[in-house]
């Protein structure tokens, strides 16, 4: 087995960035120029391009995970909702967001809506914006509505640093984020062929680091990772190939990702950090109206997530298509406990898997789950049943 010391170094750096609850890198970045602003955004997706063009850094906030004991945050919420908002409140009360100038709360579920209200009561940053994502996907209706929402965010940033981004600046930012998404997809495509060259755990660190650093730095990291993956590294195992779906908001603990891998699975696609891959393809940058192009990207190129309301049942079709594209043996439905969007979509997605003859299992987690024995047994049995019995005729 051949190792790549260069890749190991990058993964280690990304791990430190990804789980730094003090957001040290972003704070240092802001400190280098008095016109820079930090804008925190909650899951799942936010068009970071607009903050970049306005001289800011959009920082993804995913909660405290299993890296911080949550005590005060628990007092703000009932027991029967997911855990993400408790960790976020704990971070707010402990001053971890002190350098942040504003916060964006995309309208993905009631929990995030309530969290924006908590921030208003407790006070955080210079603005708190509840971003009403369009539910109408006609460009002239939902698209124009969304464009106005994005304008209002630019105005809030302008109120802090006085910067109004020119169309050229917006186009430049669009190109950088287009490049970011393309690099990420290239890595997924390469892993599809050689999943043993980069474990899902390490890929997760590399991607998650991108939430807290400027896109220019993240693009350089992704380029280097892609270059390392050209080498014949790692060792092929007799694993099945799975897609993990449903974990797009509150993040699973890293131990859970490792457990799935150690139980005989290559994770060949996932929606852990769905916001980074939200737009399918490029946003148009050769345009007179870049803000409209960003809005149209959301309207016509969103990868379907459970947080997007859809009357049609094509989310199931998209999952089956993805499984076929990735040559997956099965699907693992992995949802945060009490997550309405994820759990409500599950029966529909499972029906699509049934129809397509795709095997699946499901379980729930919370960001601080610490016991993985049961999950290991379940995933291990799933992997073995596919390896040993797939294709064997039933007499
Ligand atoms: S984990 Fe689910 S319920 Fe909780 S904030 Fe995220 S989308 Fe909402």
């Amino acid at each position: 087995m051949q190792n790549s010391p260069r890749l190991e170094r990058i993964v280690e750096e990304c791990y430190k960035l990804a789980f730094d609850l003090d957001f040290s890198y972003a704070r240092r970045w802001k400190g280098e120029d008095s016109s820079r602003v930090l804008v925190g955004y909650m899951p799942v997706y936010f068009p970071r391009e607009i903050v970049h063009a306005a001289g800011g850094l959009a920082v993804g906030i995913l909660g405290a995970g299993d890296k911080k004991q949550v005590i005060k945050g628990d007092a703000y919420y009932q027991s029967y909702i997911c855990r993400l908002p408790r960790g976020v409140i704990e971070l707010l009360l402990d001053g971890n967001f002190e350098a942040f100038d504003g916060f964006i709360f995309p309208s993905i579920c009631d929990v995030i809506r309530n969290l924006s209200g908590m921030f208003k009561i407790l006070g955080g940053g210079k603005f708190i914006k509840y971003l009403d994502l369009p539910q109408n996907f006609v460009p002239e209706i939902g698209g124009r509505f969304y464009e106005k929402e994005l304008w209002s965010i630019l105005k809030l940033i302008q109120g802090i640093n006085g910067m109004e981004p020119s169309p050229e600046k917006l186009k430049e930012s669009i190109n950088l984020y287009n490049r970011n998404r393309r690099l990420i997809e290239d890595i997924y495509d390469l892993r599809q062929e050689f999943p043993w060259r980069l474990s899902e755990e390490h890929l997760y660190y590399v991607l998650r680091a991108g939430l807290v650093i400027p896109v220019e730095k993240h693009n350089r990291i992704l380029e280097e990772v892609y270059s390392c993956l050209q080498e014949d590294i790692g060792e092929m195992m007799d694993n099945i190939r799975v897609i993990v779906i449903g974990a797009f908001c509150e993040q699973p603990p890293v131990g859970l990702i490792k457990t799935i891998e150690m139980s005989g699975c290559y994770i060949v696609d996932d929606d852990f950090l769905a916001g980074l891959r939200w737009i399918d393809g490029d946003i148009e940058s050769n345009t007179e109206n870049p803000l409209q192009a960003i809005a149209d990207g959301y309207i016509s190129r969103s990868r379907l997530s459970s947080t997007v309301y859809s009357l049609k049942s094509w989310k199931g079709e998209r999952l089956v298509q993805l499984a076929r594209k990735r040559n997956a043996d099965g699907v693992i439905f992995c949802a945060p406990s009490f997550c309405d969007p994820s759990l409500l979509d599950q029966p529909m997605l499972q029906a699509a898997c049934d129809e397509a003859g795709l095997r699946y299992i499901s379980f729930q987690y919370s960001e601080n789950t610490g016991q993985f024995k049961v999950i290991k047994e379940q995933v291990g049995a799933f992997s073995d049943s596919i390896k040993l019995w797939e294709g064997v005729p039933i007499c």
Side-chain angles (χ1 to χ4, degrees):
M1 179 174 71
Q2 197 190 323
N3 287 329
S4 167
R6 185 160 61 118
L7 185 58
E8 283 166 17
R9 239 187 1 263
I10 300 168
V11 167
E12 200 183 320
E13 183 196 352
C14 288
Y15 173 81
K16 287 183 188 145
L17 287 165
F19 293 99
D20 174 16
L21 297 181
D22 289 324
F23 304 97
S24 316
Y25 192 96
R27 283 197 286 122
R28 268 201 312 278
W29 177 87
K30 181 184 169 177
E32 286 164 12
D33 185 331
S34 59
S35 71
R36 290 178 174 175
V37 295
L38 290 186
V39 178
Y41 71 94
M42 306 296 146
V44 179
Y45 166 74
F46 170 68
R48 299 176 290 163
E49 291 88 337
I50 64 166
V51 177
H52 181 272
L57 176 62
V59 177
I61 295 172
L62 295 172
D66 57 357
K67 305 280 179 260
K68 187 174 176 70
Q69 199 181 3
V70 173
I71 299 166
K72 300 181 280 289
D74 265 341
Y76 286 76
Y77 287 100
Q78 63 274 42
S79 57
Y80 49 86
I81 61 161
C82 64
R83 195 170 182 278
L84 177 134
R86 309 163 202 277
V88 176
I89 290 287
E90 191 84 11
L91 292 171
L92 176 69
L93 293 174
D94 283 354
N96 296 52
F97 299 137
E98 252 161 27
F100 285 65
D101 297 281
F103 297 91
I104 310 279
F105 296 81
S107 60
I108 57 166
C109 70
D110 289 346
V111 172
I112 294 289
R113 179 192 291 270
N114 293 345
L115 187 58
S116 72
M118 290 291 185
F119 266 59
K120 282 197 170 153
I121 293 167
L122 294 170
K126 297 182 185 80
F127 70 82
I128 287 153
K129 165 76 181 162
Y130 183 68
L131 172 61
D132 226 343
L133 298 168
Q135 301 297 329
N136 181 312
F137 285 79
V138 177
E140 293 73 30
I141 302 172
R144 297 303 72 79
F145 167 80
Y146 187 52
E147 202 182 321
K148 282 189 189 143
E149 283 287 279
L150 300 185
W151 261 120
S152 74
I153 293 170
L154 284 177
K155 288 286 156 207
L156 290 168
I157 297 173
Q158 199 184 346
I160 297 170
N161 66 1
M163 282 173 70
E164 184 174 354
S166 63
E168 279 60 44
K169 192 77 193 114
L170 276 162
K171 286 192 226 174
E172 205 181 290
S173 302
I174 289 173
N175 282 329
L176 281 166
Y177 283 93
N178 280 344
R179 171 103 186 114
N180 191 262
R181 281 186 294 270
R182 258 185 267 134
L183 283 165
I184 291 173
E185 285 320 300
D186 287 349
I187 290 174
Y188 271 86
D189 288 347
L190 200 56
R191 277 192 79 250
Q192 180 184 337
E193 237 180 298
F194 309 104
W196 52 90
R197 290 188 184 174
L198 179 69
S199 69
E200 178 74 14
E201 177 203 350
H202 290 173
L203 172 66
Y204 183 73
Y205 300 156
V206 168
L207 297 192
R208 187 162 167 161
L211 295 178
V212 295
I213 57 177
V215 63
E216 294 87 342
K217 180 175 168 67
H218 196 222
N219 283 352
R220 284 195 297 275
I221 289 175
L222 292 171
E223 279 160 13
E224 224 181 320
V225 168
Y226 188 76
S227 140
C228 291
L229 294 183
Q230 305 292 326
E231 293 165 28
D232 184 16
I233 51 174
E235 191 180 4
M236 188 168 72
M237 311 280 281
D238 182 22
N239 285 355
I240 63 161
R241 304 158 67 90
V242 296
I243 290 178
V244 177
I245 203 98
F248 46 81
C249 184
E250 177 176 317
Q251 296 294 288
V254 168
L256 195 151
I257 298 174
K258 281 189 197 167
T259 299
I260 296 174
E261 295 195 295
M262 280 161 32
S263 307
C265 296
Y266 285 129
I267 302 175
V268 288
D269 217 313
D270 63 85
D271 62 357
F272 294 137
L273 299 162
L276 294 177
R277 306 169 67 202
W278 189 273
I279 304 291
D280 196 1
D282 283 354
I283 290 178
E284 180 60 75
S285 62
N286 188 14
T287 168
E288 302 273 287
N289 188 344
L291 211 55
Q292 183 176 324
I294 292 172
D296 288 347
Y298 181 85
I299 293 295
S300 57
R301 296 258 180 75
S302 282
R303 286 171 199 256
L304 285 186
S305 159
S306 297
T307 58
V308 176
Y309 174 69
S310 162
L311 266 182
K312 298 182 190 153
S313 60
W314 29 309
K315 287 181 196 171
E317 281 169 35
R318 290 277 288 261
L319 174 59
V320 171
Q321 276 171 17
L322 180 64
R324 300 276 182 256
K325 178 182 163 193
R326 295 290 182 215
N327 200 15
D329 299 297
V331 176
I332 295 181
F333 290 95
C334 177
S337 297
F338 300 108
C339 176
D340 283 354
S342 186
L343 293 168
L344 283 171
D345 263 7
Q346 228 179 68
M348 180 183 72
L349 297 176
Q350 289 178 348
C353 290
D354 284 335
E355 207 174 305
L358 254 178
R359 311 242 185 144
Y360 58 85
I361 52 168
S362 64
F363 50 77
Q364 293 173 34
Y365 65 87
S366 70
E367 61 181 10
N368 65 340
T369 298
Q371 296 290 330
F372 304 108
K373 189 169 176 289
V374 174
I375 292 174
K376 190 168 192 297
E377 285 168 3
Q378 193 183 349
V379 178
F382 182 60
S383 159
D384 283 351
S385 71
I386 288 176
K387 271 192 283 199
L388 299 175
W389 305 112
E390 188 78 21
V392 175
I394 300 166
C395 305

